[in-house]
């Protein structure tokens, strides 16, 4: 076993997953997280197994998202809500439903190739069922049927959508695709339980890194404050996974990199208006306009998480900022930092939450009776470079035993970890056969009940309804 010591700065999805990956293959890792628990950043709710929410990104990014989502699902199966997604195009939108068809066919073929390569990649159901097109006549028929408490076929999944959506507002066909739900509380619980069980990893919560200095070409000294106590350690490699504060760590280390940061929020609502489990539903729209994409994400306990890609709901005026020549860290306005560090004002929660309900109820009229169920899921997301449409990203290296992992979508973490392990193998930190081995015996040993209990704790600690710790559909 290597005696090299690695520091991972940031305990979000990227940092926690990389610490998990490296400690599972025998490396000694210290994980530094500023907050009180792991994986508490921007909202995630969706496994982008194909990227069909994003019409504006190229097919290559969608193929990457498919591959990465399958990898992430295999690592974190107990955090997945196994239900499909409906993609609908409103009549007011300039796009056409069949514009997605070439991409869907490509993704279906890629899914088959991934299964041919490794049968364990068959985690999204049968290849032929990856997507299906649904015409108006079929939905009108399904609207006459009773909702099933637990849907077992694609038709049954479509019944609540058919019954409650104003179909006159849509273009046809709509698409049903196997992009699943992803529960951020359960993901964080899985990572934390695995790392706590692994003797190779030491977790430092409530820890702010205050200084990084290179003592010699291959050694870093890291100074930090943990629970108001100052400390310092020497490390052989530093991995910057500090999320939207990645630039602050770059500045401490003396490296410059251009990036964007975007503040976003999703809203937690309660709706008693349906008797069965819903699919996730996406109503496409042009991002940043008053008719941006609308996203309806169902949870247990009649909770629904909402996105509206307008500046009044999920996006924010002046919420996208870039860094300057003098710093790698984009500076968010004080009003956003106040939300991140101190919380939301009640009128902000009520106001934007109600706007999100109004926005979705234009398509699902009965949803107007929903109510705001607590504070939003929110955070700031870093985007490397200057392309705000980028949805895949990865790892970058500096020559001095320093790397940064900047993910835009949570499913990219294993791609980052593979590349990082390749670099560590080049440096002699780890045997080359460990690169891409993807063996997670400790993580695989964490049982579903333990994950549920830790998820319940996280929802309570963070002030969210406890039902967000659960999922509607588990894997068979």
């Amino acid at each position: 076993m290597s005696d090299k010591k690695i520091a991972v700065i940031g305990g979000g999805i990227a940092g926690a997953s990389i610490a998990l990956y490296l400690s599972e293959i025998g490396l000694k890792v210290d994980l530094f997280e500023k907050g009180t628990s792991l994986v508490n950043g921007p909202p995630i709710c969706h496994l982008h197994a194909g990227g069909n929410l994003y019409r504006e990104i190229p097919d290559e990014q969608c193929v990457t998202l498919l591959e990465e989502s399958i990898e992430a699902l295999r690592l974190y199966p107990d955090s997945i809500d196994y239900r499909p997604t409906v993609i609908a195009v409103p009549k007011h939108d300039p796009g056409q439903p069949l514009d997605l068809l070439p991409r869907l066919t490509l993704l279906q073929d890629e899914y088959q190739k991934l299964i041919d390569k490794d049968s364990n990649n068959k985690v999204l159901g049968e290849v032929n069922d990856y997507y299906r097109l649904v015409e108006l006549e079929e939905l009108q028929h399904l609207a006459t049927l009773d909702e099933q408490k637990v849907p077992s076929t694609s038709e049954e999944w479509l019944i609540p959508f058919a019954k409650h959506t104003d179909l006159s507002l849509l273009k046809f066909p709509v698409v049903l695709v196997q992009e699943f739900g992803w529960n951020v509380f359960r993901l964080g619980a899985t990572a934390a339980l695995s790392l706590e069980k692994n003797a190779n990893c030491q977790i430092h919560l409530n820890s702010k890194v205050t200084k990084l200095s290179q003592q010699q070409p291959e050694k870093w000294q890291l100074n930090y404050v943990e629970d108001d106590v100052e400390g310092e350690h020497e490390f052989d490699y530093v991995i910057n996974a500090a999320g939207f504060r990645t630039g602050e760590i770059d500045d401490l280390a003396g490296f410059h990199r251009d990036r964007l940061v975007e503040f976003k929020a999703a809203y937690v609502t309660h709706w008693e208006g349906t008797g069965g489990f819903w699919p996730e539903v996406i109503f496409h729209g042009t991002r940043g306009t008053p008719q941006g994409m609308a996203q309806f994400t169902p949870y247990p306990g009649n909770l629904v998480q909402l996105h509206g890609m307008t500046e009044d709901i999920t996006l924010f005026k002046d919420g996208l900022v870039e860094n300057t020549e003098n710093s790698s860290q984009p500076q968010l306005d004080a009003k956003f930092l106040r939300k991140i560090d101190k919380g939301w004002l009640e009128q902000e929660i009520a106001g934007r939450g109600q706007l999100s309900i109004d926005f979705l109820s234009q398509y699902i009229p009965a949803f107007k009776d929903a109510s705001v169920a607590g504070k939003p899921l929110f955070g700031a997301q870093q985007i490397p470079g200057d392309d705000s449409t980028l949805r895949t990203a990865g790892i970058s290296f500096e020559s001095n035993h320093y790397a940064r992992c900047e993910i835009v979508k949570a499913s990219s973490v294993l791609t980052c970890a593979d590349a990082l392990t390749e670099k560590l193998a080049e440096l002699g930190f780890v045997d080359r056969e460990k690169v891409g081995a993807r063996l997670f015996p400790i993580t695989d040993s964490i049982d579903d009940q333990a994950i549920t209990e830790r998820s319940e704790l996280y929802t309570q600690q963070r002030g969210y309804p406890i039902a967000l710790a659960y999922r509607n559909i588990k894997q068979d």
Side-chain angles (χ1 to χ4, degrees), residues 199-214:
N200 292 325
C201 183
Q202 183 166 356
I203 304 171
H204 303 265
L205 297 175
N206 301 303
S207 295
K208 179 177 174 60
V209 175
T210 56
K211 186 178 179 183
L212 274 173
S213 53
Q214 205 142 28

Side-chain angles (χ1 to χ4, degrees), residues 40-301:
N40 187 14
I44 69 160
C45 59
H46 185 93
L47 191 72
H48 291 276
N52 291 294
L53 274 61
Y54 304 115
R55 296 178 296 185
E56 68 275 15
I57 68 174
D59 288 347
E60 307 87 78
Q61 282 194 39
C62 289
V63 170
T64 299
L65 285 171
L66 176 71
E67 294 172 356
E68 292 178 344
S69 291
I70 288 171
E71 293 166 356
L73 190 157
R74 289 180 59 183
L75 176 58
Y76 293 115
D78 292 314
S79 66
I80 304 299
D81 200 353
Y82 292 85
R83 51 110 189 97
T85 295
V86 172
I87 310 282
V89 180
K91 285 181 177 175
H92 61 68
D93 186 84
Q96 297 300 322
L98 291 180
D99 291 348
L100 280 177
L101 189 56
R103 172 180 291 179
L104 288 162
T105 305
L106 169 68
L107 291 167
Q108 191 174 47
D109 292 343
E110 290 294 326
Y111 182 35
Q112 180 66 63
K113 289 176 186 174
L114 290 168
I115 294 171
D116 292 343
K117 185 175 166 184
D118 181 351
S119 61
N120 291 319
N121 285 329
K122 189 178 177 182
V123 290
L124 303 175
E126 298 295 331
V127 173
N128 288 341
D129 297 333
Y130 172 69
Y131 78 92
R132 62 170 293 189
L133 305 178
V134 190
E135 297 291 352
L136 173 60
E137 294 75 19
E138 182 177 0
L139 289 171
Q140 288 172 330
H141 166 68
L142 291 172
T144 67
L145 305 180
D146 292 334
E147 294 177 46
Q148 299 299 304
K149 185 61 183 169
V150 182
S152 59
T153 66
S154 58
E155 290 80 9
E156 289 176 355
W157 274 112
L158 284 162
I159 291 171
F161 171 80
K163 273 185 176 299
H164 298 284
T165 304
D166 185 347
L167 301 177
S168 72
L169 298 179
L170 305 180
K171 299 176 183 178
F172 291 92
V174 301
V175 177
L176 187 73
V177 64
Q178 298 305 309
E179 295 197 28
F180 299 152
W182 202 359
N183 187 303
V184 68
F185 297 101
R186 299 183 69 86
L187 189 161
T190 306
L193 289 165
S194 176
L195 290 169
E196 289 164 9
K197 200 173 175 181
N198 193 327
N200 292 325
C201 183
Q202 183 166 356
I203 304 171
H204 303 265
L205 297 175
N206 301 303
S207 295
K208 179 177 174 60
V209 175
T210 56
K211 186 178 179 183
L212 274 173
S213 53
Q214 205 142 28
Q215 306 303 95
Q216 47 185 292
E218 298 176 355
K219 295 281 186 182
W220 286 92
Q221 181 175 298
L222 184 150
N223 294 68
Y224 62 100
V225 176
E226 180 174 349
D227 291 324
D228 298 323
V229 178
E230 293 185 7
E232 66 178 50
H233 284 310
E234 191 173 79
F235 292 98
D236 300 285
Y237 206 97
V238 171
I239 299 162
N240 177 0
F244 88 95
R245 290 188 164 104
T246 298
E248 293 180 7
I249 305 302
D250 275 350
D251 286 349
L252 288 178
F255 298 119
H256 188 82
R257 180 168 167 82
D258 289 333
R259 59 174 56 84
L260 304 166
V261 162
E262 184 171 34
F263 185 88
K264 296 196 294 189
Y267 301 87
V268 181
T269 64
H270 183 266
W271 182 43
E272 295 280 4
T274 183
F277 295 158
W278 274 67
E280 185 158 5
V281 185
I282 305 300
F283 299 98
H284 267 308
T286 303
R287 193 180 200 273
T289 71
Q291 288 294 351
M293 182 182 76
Q295 184 173 351
F296 175 103
T297 306
Y299 282 82

